[in-house]
Amino acid sequence: MNRESTKALALFTQIAVSMIVPIFLCFFAGYAIDRVFGINGIFLIIFTIIGVMAGFRSVYVLVKDFYKDKDTYIDMNKIKADLQKEAQEDNNDK
């Protein structure tokens, strides 16, 4: 397995854990609060929504940090200039 595949697999695993853990923790916390106060599902729903939002936030932070050093911007003008330069070099070599 090459290095990029290993990094991608590690990122995927981190994303899965970062999404599942806050959802389940908040779900069970809401369930416990509902049982203590004898309420039918209000805190369960509220805490589950908070857990989903926390999971999405942690995934966002992970992916943002992963792509922080990568150049995701594609400059088409630079690509065209490079292709024209290569074409001119090929013509000069002939």
Side-chain angles (χ1 to χ4, degrees):
M1 206 182 245
N2 64 10
R3 187 170 174 91
E4 290 297 318
S5 297
T6 307
K7 282 185 178 181
L9 184 60
L11 178 66
F12 178 74
T13 305
Q14 279 183 314
I15 287 173
V17 170
S18 295
M19 192 70 187
I20 290 171
V21 169
I23 293 172
F24 279 116
L25 286 177
C26 288
F27 175 84
F28 289 118
Y31 179 74
I33 292 172
D34 279 343
R35 286 192 51 147
V36 167
F37 292 114
I39 302 171
N40 293 330
I42 299 297
F43 285 104
L44 175 73
I45 293 169
I46 292 170
F47 275 69
T48 303
I49 291 171
I50 290 171
V52 169
M53 291 183 338
F56 277 117
R57 185 199 172 277
S58 64
V59 167
Y60 172 75
V61 169
L62 276 173
V63 172
K64 187 176 91 172
D65 288 344
F66 182 76
Y67 285 111
K68 178 175 62 175
D69 297 331
K70 301 208 184 322
D71 183 21
T72 57
Y73 175 72
I74 298 174
D75 188 2
M76 291 305 292
N77 293 325
K78 184 176 185 252
I79 293 172
K80 287 177 186 177
D82 289 342
L83 289 173
Q84 289 175 349
K85 184 178 178 183
E86 287 177 14
Q88 287 176 351
E89 288 175 1
D90 288 342
N91 288 338
N92 292 339
D93 290 341
K94 290 182 181 181

